[in-house]
């Protein structure tokens, strides 16, 4: 009786009949049931491929983690340059900035705080990133704080606030409300 096995099992020559010697005509060694042992060339190649893929995945995972750590370090805000002073319009706009913790969409929170000893300078903390912000005057009366180095903008209107990535042109956070905005 002929036995037909799928080729993906890695057994070669298993279509022959088994005689009294238990051989199937395969190039690998045989077991008592007449099938080629999986330690033949095919089995070694599969195991080697799996090992290489596993090691490559571990190496890529470590590389990705290192790149994320480096990106976090780059994202940490640096203090504003000491020699750069703000204009009167910027200092006037700073008087309208709401500070404190804001609740945003999807349960996210941001903290906006004034920098002690630097009038008109603010920090915005989102998760592990801190942005250094300075106010920019607007014609509409909205408060706009910008981090020129990282390209982020905090917009504050009476009903809500939002964090924008100015370089990519999209909202990072929306529907943020300070306690003062929740009342209105």
């Amino acid at each position: 009786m002929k036995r037909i096995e799928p080729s993906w099992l890695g057994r070669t020559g298993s279509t022959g009949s088994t005689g009294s010697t238990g051989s199937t005509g395969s190039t690998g060694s045989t077991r008592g049931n007449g099938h080629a042992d999986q330690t033949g060339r095919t089995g070694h190649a599969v195991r080697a491929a799996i090992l290489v893929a596993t090691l490559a995945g571990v190496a890529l995972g470590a590389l990705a983690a290192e790149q994320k750590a480096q990106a976090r370090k780059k994202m940490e805000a640096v203090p504003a340059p000491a020699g750069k002073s703000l204009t009167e319009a910027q200092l006037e706009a700073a008087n309208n900035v709401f500070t404190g913790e804001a609740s945003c969409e999807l349960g996210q929170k941001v903290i906006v705080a004034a920098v002690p000893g630097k009038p008109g300078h603010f920090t915005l903390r989102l998760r592990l990133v801190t942005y250094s912000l300075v106010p920019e005057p607007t014609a509409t009366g909205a408060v706009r704080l910008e981090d020129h180095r990282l390209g982020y903008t905090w917009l504050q209107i009476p009903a809500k606030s939002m964090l924008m990535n100015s370089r990519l042109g999209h909202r990072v956070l929306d529907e943020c409300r300070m306690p003062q905005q929740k009342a209105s």
Side-chain angles (χ1 to χ4, degrees):
M1 176 154 125
K2 289 188 177 187
R3 187 171 185 151
I4 300 175
E5 302 253 353
S7 63
W8 55 267
L9 283 176
R11 297 178 180 154
T12 58
S14 60
T15 58
S17 65
T18 57
S20 62
T21 61
S23 174
T24 62
S26 68
T27 58
S29 62
T30 58
R31 291 182 276 177
N33 63 2
H35 295 287
D37 199 13
Q38 289 190 0
T39 60
R41 291 182 195 165
T42 306
H44 286 299
V46 169
R47 288 186 190 124
I50 291 171
L51 178 64
V52 168
T54 302
L55 292 175
V58 169
L60 286 175
L63 180 64
E66 184 179 323
Q67 288 175 343
K68 283 182 183 179
Q70 288 175 354
R72 282 190 188 124
K73 286 180 184 177
K74 286 181 183 177
M75 294 297 288
E76 286 298 321
V78 295
K84 191 173 183 181
S85 60
L86 300 179
T87 65
E88 288 296 320
Q90 287 177 306
L91 291 173
E92 188 176 318
N95 293 330
N96 299 323
V97 175
F98 295 144
T99 58
E101 185 176 281
S103 300
C104 304
E105 65 183 352
L106 303 174
Q108 302 216 37
K109 301 215 182 272
V110 296
I111 299 172
V112 178
V115 177
K118 290 188 175 182
H121 289 79
F122 297 88
T123 59
L124 183 140
R125 183 150 180 92
L126 171 63
R127 293 183 291 268
L128 299 174
V129 182
T130 302
Y131 303 97
S132 294
L133 304 167
V134 293
E136 295 295 330
T138 63
T140 62
V143 175
R144 189 174 88 202
L145 301 174
E146 292 191 12
D147 184 332
H148 295 285
R149 187 176 68 85
L150 297 177
Y152 282 82
T153 302
W154 177 252
L155 293 172
Q156 174 189 304
I157 58 175
K160 67 176 185 174
S161 298
M162 65 190 85
L163 182 64
M164 307 279 292
N165 182 328
S166 304
R167 293 180 183 161
L168 297 178
H170 71 83
R171 293 180 189 175
V172 177
L173 283 178
D174 198 4
E175 300 294 328
C176 298
R177 289 188 174 79
M178 297 277 186
Q180 302 93 322
Q181 291 171 312
K182 289 179 182 178
S184 58

